[in-house]
Amino acid sequence: QVQLVESGGGSVEAGGSLRLSCVGSGDIYGSYCWAWFRQAPGEEREGVAFIEGADGTTHYTNSVKGRFRISQDSTKRILYLQMDSLKSEDTGMYYCAADFCPSAAAVRTRGFRRTDFGYWGQGTQVTVSS
């Protein structure tokens, strides 16, 4: 069983920064893929940033490239999301997720999907005011 607990959310003005953390416990494999998803009210949950545990390869959705950075600690049980130059459209509940990675071919052709991840945290709220 895997448990994920997020922290670090809050309210910030546009242009500001936040750092989210996600602590994992239980049967976590070093080769897991990890992700940050977010969901705004009335919207679908969307993938924001992904990291492949085996080699640290990262992937980002276009809207956050150059502003957000996903990383892990050396134990591969703590996931971070450094968010800089925040915009009002970054507002939402942010969720940490983990699971075995989809195939490399699948990632190349269609990217990561919400259904690739079976373990989820409860979420942490990020509110950016303009």
Side-chain angles (χ1 to χ4, degrees):
Q1 191 71 7
V2 171
Q3 277 119 20
L4 306 176
V5 179
E6 303 96 334
S7 63
S11 296
V12 65
E13 290 187 354
S17 297
L18 283 173
R19 190 193 197 202
L20 306 184
S21 299
C22 170
V23 178
S25 60
D27 296 331
I28 293 174
Y29 290 85
S31 57
Y32 269 5
C33 275
W34 293 72
W36 287 100
F37 284 76
R38 68 185 177 193
Q39 188 167 19
E43 304 273 341
E44 296 274 326
R45 192 173 298 188
E46 66 164 341
V48 172
F50 308 86
I51 187 166
E52 298 179 33
D55 62 7
T57 300
T58 58
H59 310 262
Y60 298 92
T61 193
N62 286 338
S63 63
V64 307
K65 282 181 182 176
R67 300 189 298 119
F68 289 12
R69 189 171 78 89
I70 188 171
S71 62
Q72 284 185 293
D73 78 327
S74 59
T75 69
K76 296 188 180 179
R77 288 180 172 267
I78 304 178
L79 182 72
Y80 301 103
L81 185 67
Q82 177 66 41
M83 305 187 294
D84 298 321
S85 303
L86 282 161
K87 304 177 181 180
S88 56
E89 52 262 45
D90 295 318
T91 293
M93 186 70 80
Y94 281 69
Y95 298 90
C96 166
D99 214 324
F100 288 109
C101 300
S103 70
V107 173
R108 277 196 306 271
T109 57
R110 48 86 166 164
F112 288 94
R113 293 175 177 168
R114 180 178 175 176
T115 51
D116 290 329
F117 298 92
Y119 302 109
W120 292 84
Q122 293 293 96
T124 186
Q125 178 68 35
V126 171
T127 302
V128 184
S129 58
S130 56

